[in-house]
Amino acid sequence: MSKIAYVNGRYLPHAEATVHVEDRGYQFSDGVYEVCEVARGSLIDMTRHLNRLDRSLRELRIAWPMHRSALEIVLREVVRMNGVRDGLVYLQVTRGVARRDHVFPASTTRPAMVVTAKRIDPETVARRAASGVKVITVPENRWERVDIKSVGLLPNVLAKQQAKEAGAQEAWFVDPEGKVTEGGSTNAWIVDEAGKLVTRPADFGILRGITRTTVLDVAAKLGLTVEERPFSVEEAKRAREAFITSATSIVMPVVAIDGHPVANGHPGSVALSLREAFFDIAEKTKA
Ligand code: PDD
């Protein structure tokens, strides 16, 4: 079955799914995106993802490309048309197509929207969670507005490539105070020496991950103590557990930081129980 993408009002085979050379996303990274997980035929936490999209669009003063309810239909349609039962759906909105000029184009310029979906084998992800992943640390070099889910991801691309070349799966950005901000495409967590779940507050310096928000709900349900505070690389290396969260990895145990094993070098039980309970609590919308 050929893959189908939604591009500015049309459902097209991938070979024909193209955007204009003067799309401002292509020329200026002038756009935002969302990645929503699909599990067992349902979109996970779609409401929260679209609430964050609304915030990102507002912060950049880009209009919604269509009514929210119509956009929900497009997301579900692309998932269905691609036969995705487990995987993800990607949505990108840019300020649209206009002759290249840094300042905003005329207010009549229509935002451009692209939606794609892809399958991910849940068994592969489950195997990765059973063995855990390695992370490296890199200096924080991104702009201050990483709370906006913009398509400007060059530092993230470079950091994740560096991780891959070092035999790791994620890079943690570290601020000038030695505190972890977040991963290249994930939020960072530890279970500290006292057994508390620790993750950086989301009001500054990180993206407010949807998975992070739902994991906070899961932690409350499981009666776990959570502290939203920054933690250092040194503290993470001494921690009982470490893990990362995102729509693509849900809760993924971290077993090594810069080559240093976390605890006994195996996935921790708190991370695995959060992973296990996640889908009972997350919102599910049938595709
Ligand atoms: N990334 N931090 C960054 C920098 C991210 O890019 C992401 C998500 C997260 C986690 O957010 P969420 O839980 O809403 O997925 C944190 C997506 C998956 C990506 O870029 O592919």
Side-chain angles (χ1 to χ4, degrees):
M1 189 175 66
S2 79
K3 286 198 205 154
I4 303 292
Y6 173 92
V7 187
N8 296 322
R10 297 196 294 164
Y11 294 93
L12 297 169
H14 267 210
E16 293 162 38
T18 54
V19 295
H20 198 280
V21 289
E22 289 198 302
D23 187 293
R24 289 180 62 95
Y26 178 61
Q27 296 197 328
F28 295 114
S29 298
D30 191 0
V32 299
Y33 76 106
E34 280 296 329
V35 177
C36 186
E37 205 215 353
V38 181
R40 287 167 220 134
S42 291
L43 281 84
I44 304 300
D45 282 331
M46 184 176 73
T47 305
R48 282 178 170 166
H49 280 283
L50 294 185
N51 289 348
R52 186 173 63 186
L53 175 70
D54 181 56
R55 179 179 183 280
S56 297
L57 289 169
R58 265 174 217 280
E59 291 295 320
L60 297 185
R61 292 193 275 154
I62 299 175
W64 272 74
M66 61 177 67
H67 197 275
R68 180 166 169 153
S69 56
L71 198 152
E72 288 179 10
I73 292 170
V74 173
L75 290 178
R76 290 158 67 198
E77 195 62 22
V78 172
V79 169
R80 268 208 306 269
M81 288 174 102
N82 287 284
V84 174
R85 198 177 128 76
D86 294 284
L88 57 86
V89 59
Y90 176 86
L91 155 72
Q92 179 173 316
V93 180
T94 74
R95 204 179 301 277
V97 174
R99 210 172 91 162
R100 188 176 183 279
D101 187 3
H102 289 71
V103 296
F104 292 177
S107 56
T108 47
T109 308
R110 288 172 57 84
M113 176 169 131
V114 167
V115 179
T116 57
K118 74 170 176 190
R119 287 189 212 174
I120 298 173
D121 174 22
E123 295 304 317
T124 310
V125 186
R127 272 200 297 278
R128 195 174 308 137
S131 54
V133 298
K134 298 171 184 167
V135 305
I136 61 162
T137 59
V138 295
E140 179 63 86
N141 60 355
R142 300 174 299 162
W143 74 323
E144 284 180 2
R145 296 307 310 276
V146 294
D147 57 299
I148 301 170
K149 201 164 171 59
S150 98
V151 293
L153 291 172
L154 191 50
N156 310 56
V157 166
L158 296 178
K160 287 188 73 99
Q161 180 62 22
Q162 193 180 327
K164 185 179 174 189
E165 289 171 9
Q169 288 76 35
E170 181 57 299
W172 278 359
F173 290 110
V174 179
D175 71 15
E177 282 78 51
K179 302 279 171 46
V180 175
T181 55
E182 64 180 330
S185 63
T186 57
N187 289 120
W189 302 66
I190 56 169
V191 179
D192 72 5
E193 288 174 298
K196 288 181 186 152
L197 264 177
V198 181
T199 194
R200 192 179 174 104
D203 23 66
F204 184 71
I206 67 166
L207 180 76
R208 188 183 292 273
I210 301 306
T211 319
R212 177 188 178 282
T213 303
T214 300
V215 166
L216 288 172
D217 293 345
V218 178
K221 263 269 179 7
L222 297 181
L224 301 170
T225 311
V226 179
E227 248 177 46
E228 288 189 69
R229 62 166 174 85
F231 60 85
S232 69
V233 178
E234 290 319 308
E235 186 180 8
K237 286 181 179 167
R238 290 194 314 269
R240 287 191 195 176
E241 296 185 26
F243 61 92
I244 51 179
T245 57
S246 73
T248 45
S249 62
I250 304 302
V251 177
M252 187 58 70
V254 169
V255 293
I257 301 167
D258 288 333
H260 179 104
V262 177
N264 63 4
H266 293 286
S269 57
V270 173
L272 293 177
S273 50
L274 288 168
R275 184 178 178 85
E276 176 120 356
F278 184 84
F279 290 109
D280 297 338
I281 293 186
E283 178 201 47
K284 294 167 274 288
T285 307
K286 273 264 156 281

